[in-house]
Amino acid sequence: MHIHVVILAAGKGTRMKSARAKVLHRVAGQPMIEHVLAAAAALEPRSTTVVVGHQADSVKAALAGFSGLKFVVQEPQHGTAHALLTTEPALRGESGTLILLSGDVPLLSVKTLQSLVERHATARAAATVLTAVVDEPAGYGRIVRGSTESGEQIARIAEEKDATSAERQIREINCGIYAFSLEGLFDAVRSIAAENVQKEYYLPDLVQIYRQRGLGVETVTVSNPDEIRGINSRIELAAVSRIVRNQKNAELMAAGVTIEDPATAYIGREVTIGADTIVHPGVSLEGRTTIGASCEIHTGVRIVNSQIGDRVQVFNHCVIADARIADDVNIGPFAHLRNQADVRAHARVGNFVELKKTVLGEGSKAMHLAYLGDALIGEHVNLGAGTITCNYDGVNKNTTVIEDGAFVGSDTQLIAPVTVGKGAYVGSGTTIRENVPAGALAISAGKQRNIEGWVENKKGKGQKAKG
Ligand code: UD1
Ligand code: CA
């Protein structure tokens, strides 16, 4: 049986009060619709169609990286049944099962989706509705059941705004996720009327239509209602994001990572962390970041799309993005590593040091106040406080090479392109404009001059001026 996925993402999301399309708001660092696409992909569907409308272009652009998606535009948006109808041309001639997902229900698990598909197939139903029993059903459509010979069967779905006060007491809700047999589906959807408070075409009305026609409508109730939470407001966005983070934290802790304060750890879904690493409060680990074992990540650190080895200490308030750090390295506090910064084993980067497109070789040190950009720094190099690579000449970015064992004194400017040879020394306060040969000492500061009695002399003049 073929599976076709349709994801509804055309609605305005009025309650978000946002200029951005609702489905592009991020949950755990990823637009919410990407979470839905990831779950859908696990079903290996024959086709995946996204219904866009409000902010259609920005949604399409955001999903440009997903190959094989079909987009249909629903304009204007007259409700979820109307949205499904817009996919009819895209699915013409297809048979099998249509799985309908909502772009604003991002936590749905693959396991739940698979059980929906299975139940729908084994029951040979015309429609199968995913439901959940929740403590606070407000805002959701309620599952109204009626007794038949075969038990309490679903009779229809009552939307919150149209429900009677008795129906509002029902705690079983519609998740907005369904399996439909494609046979006759669109004709049936076309018969839905917009006779309700919102004057919209409600897809849930299909349940009653099918029941009246004597067609099979099944339900699958999720065991963990957290995973079908819909996002309609910023408060719900925060609540769902918290659920994702809690899950991730729990997985990491179960695998041997210490998270000192899970409430303030912001760890993205794709991040991996080795055992015995300690994450202090107020840390943000994002994107495709990997962190090795026995590391310590201190408060105020943000790491994005970076690879970090084992036994690395990242002290307070460092920002590390698109960087690579090998084993046994110490970074920070207050260091900034970005854009292909590459710190090799046993190296040390201290406070107020910035590295960009720079290799800092094994065992090398830049402990205080430095900018190292577009530099190739060898092994066991010592860079003094205030070392600056002048890598940009106003037109091009140029490379600084500092070979193994070199010693660069404090307050040195290296005007690139330039090379400091193996084991060479650079005196403090030097401006390096020419290559320094291996083993040489380079100094450019002028000879020091002392003016005897200068202070006394100046003070005397000052007093005279005052008097
Ligand atoms: C919907 C269901 C409700 C269910 C809830 C679960 C309807 C009428 N109600 O309510 O029973 O409990 O989801 O979360 O279906 N959309 C379009 N085009 C439209 C209207 C909506 O594409 O014309 C999309 C929205 O972008 C969204 C999804 O459909 O992704 C659901 O729409 P929304 O307005 O959020 O419906 P709810 O009020 O949450
Ligand atoms: Ca919704």
Side-chain angles (χ1 to χ4, degrees):
M1 189 70 85
H2 293 314
I3 289 178
H4 298 272
V5 169
V6 169
I7 301 174
L8 300 190
K12 185 158 189 291
T14 313
R15 286 164 281 178
M16 292 297 282
K17 307 259 166 67
S18 177
R20 179 189 295 185
K22 176 166 80 174
V23 294
L24 296 184
H25 282 266
R26 291 199 188 94
V27 168
Q30 238 182 343
M32 62 176 100
I33 192 166
E34 288 190 16
H35 294 264
V36 181
L37 284 168
L43 295 178
E44 298 181 355
R46 194 176 163 94
S47 74
T48 303
T49 307
V50 183
V51 180
V52 293
H54 189 72
Q55 307 270 30
D57 291 338
S58 61
V59 177
K60 278 190 212 171
L63 301 181
F66 289 80
S67 60
L69 286 187
K70 287 195 236 177
F71 291 96
V72 300
V73 178
Q74 182 204 12
E75 186 61 63
Q77 296 95 36
H78 287 313
T80 45
H82 177 243
L84 177 54
L85 268 187
T86 61
T87 67
E88 188 177 17
L91 292 169
R92 184 158 289 137
E94 298 288 359
S95 62
T97 300
L98 186 150
I99 298 294
L100 189 102
L101 305 175
S102 207
D104 65 351
V105 183
L107 301 191
L108 184 67
S109 71
V110 171
K111 217 175 118 225
T112 298
L113 263 180
Q114 280 163 344
S115 63
L116 176 71
V117 170
E118 260 171 51
R119 172 71 60 84
H120 184 74
T122 51
R124 296 174 177 278
T128 304
V129 181
L130 193 67
T131 78
V133 177
V134 298
D135 293 333
E136 291 172 22
Y140 289 102
R142 309 297 205 284
I143 305 297
V144 180
R145 290 183 181 270
S147 11
T148 63
E149 302 98 69
S150 43
E152 292 275 289
Q153 292 231 340
I154 184 170
R156 58 191 182 84
I157 297 173
E159 286 305 299
E160 166 94 10
K161 287 184 178 144
D162 303 279
T164 63
S165 57
E167 284 166 348
R168 286 191 188 151
Q169 303 303 310
I170 298 171
R171 286 171 47 234
E172 187 181 11
I173 56 123
N174 169 27
C175 306
I177 288 154
Y178 321 80
F180 296 116
S181 164
L182 268 166
E183 202 186 326
L185 174 65
F186 291 106
D187 285 336
V189 173
R190 241 188 301 280
S191 70
I192 292 173
E195 284 157 8
N196 51 57
V197 174
Q198 303 193 83
K199 301 276 170 275
E200 277 187 9
Y201 297 90
Y202 289 169
L203 186 56
D205 287 356
L206 194 64
V207 170
Q208 191 173 14
I209 292 171
Y210 275 181
R211 299 297 289 158
Q212 283 165 352
R213 292 182 186 178
L215 295 171
V217 182
E218 284 291 320
T219 56
V220 171
T221 305
V222 295
S223 46
N224 173 12
D226 269 352
E227 66 173 83
I228 54 76
R229 289 238 214 168
I231 297 178
N232 299 299
S233 66
R234 308 266 181 168
I235 291 174
E236 288 168 352
L237 179 69
V240 167
S241 299
R242 153 114 5 251
I243 291 168
V244 179
R245 285 206 301 277
N246 286 347
Q247 259 169 20
K248 180 71 188 183
N249 291 344
E251 277 166 30
L252 289 168
M253 291 187 283
V257 176
T258 294
I259 300 178
E260 286 187 344
D261 180 18
T264 62
Y266 300 84
I267 305 176
R269 287 228 277 202
E270 293 174 76
V271 174
T272 64
I273 306 181
D276 285 324
T277 284
I278 300 170
V279 178
H280 288 239
V283 163
S284 206
L285 307 173
E286 304 167 30
R288 275 179 282 276
T289 290
T290 61
I291 295 177
S294 302
C295 295
E296 196 154 0
I297 315 294
H298 292 257
T299 294
V301 169
R302 176 168 183 239
I303 304 178
V304 187
N305 295 331
S306 296
Q307 284 70 53
I308 294 181
D310 296 333
R311 298 172 300 280
V312 171
Q313 291 277 335
V314 183
F315 295 110
N316 300 72
H317 303 291
C318 290
V319 176
I320 299 172
D322 305 308
R324 177 185 292 271
I325 297 173
D327 297 342
D328 302 294
V329 167
N330 287 4
I331 305 282
F334 301 102
H336 185 192
L337 274 56
R338 61 186 177 97
N339 193 351
Q340 298 172 44
D342 181 351
V343 180
R344 303 284 166 86
H346 297 283
R348 281 160 161 257
V349 175
N351 44 196
F352 307 107
V353 173
E354 176 181 357
L355 261 71
K356 186 220 77 171
K357 267 196 188 161
T358 283
V359 177
L360 185 64
E362 212 173 299
S364 290
K365 291 180 189 169
M367 292 303 287
H368 335 265
L369 300 157
Y371 172 58
L372 306 168
D374 303 292
L376 276 170
I377 300 164
E379 295 177 7
H380 303 288
V381 168
N382 199 318
L383 300 165
T387 298
I388 290 173
T389 54
C390 307
N391 58 325
Y392 186 48
D393 58 15
V395 181
N396 297 310
K397 299 281 170 71
N398 301 301
T399 303
T400 301
V401 177
I402 303 176
E403 292 179 354
D404 295 350
F407 182 100
V408 176
S410 297
D411 190 23
T412 293
Q413 299 97 56
L414 298 135
I415 301 186
V418 77
T419 297
V420 175
K422 214 169 175 173
Y425 267 57
V426 175
S428 285
T430 297
T431 301
I432 296 290
R433 296 172 193 278
E434 286 158 35
N435 293 346
V436 182
L441 167 68
I443 26 173
S444 71
K447 192 170 154 46
Q448 180 172 326
R449 196 158 65 103
N450 294 335
I451 302 172
E452 296 286 343
W454 183 89
V455 176
E456 247 338 274
N457 198 8
K458 184 180 163 78
K459 277 185 186 159
K461 270 185 196 154
Q463 266 152 16
K464 233 180 243 168
K466 263 185 220 158

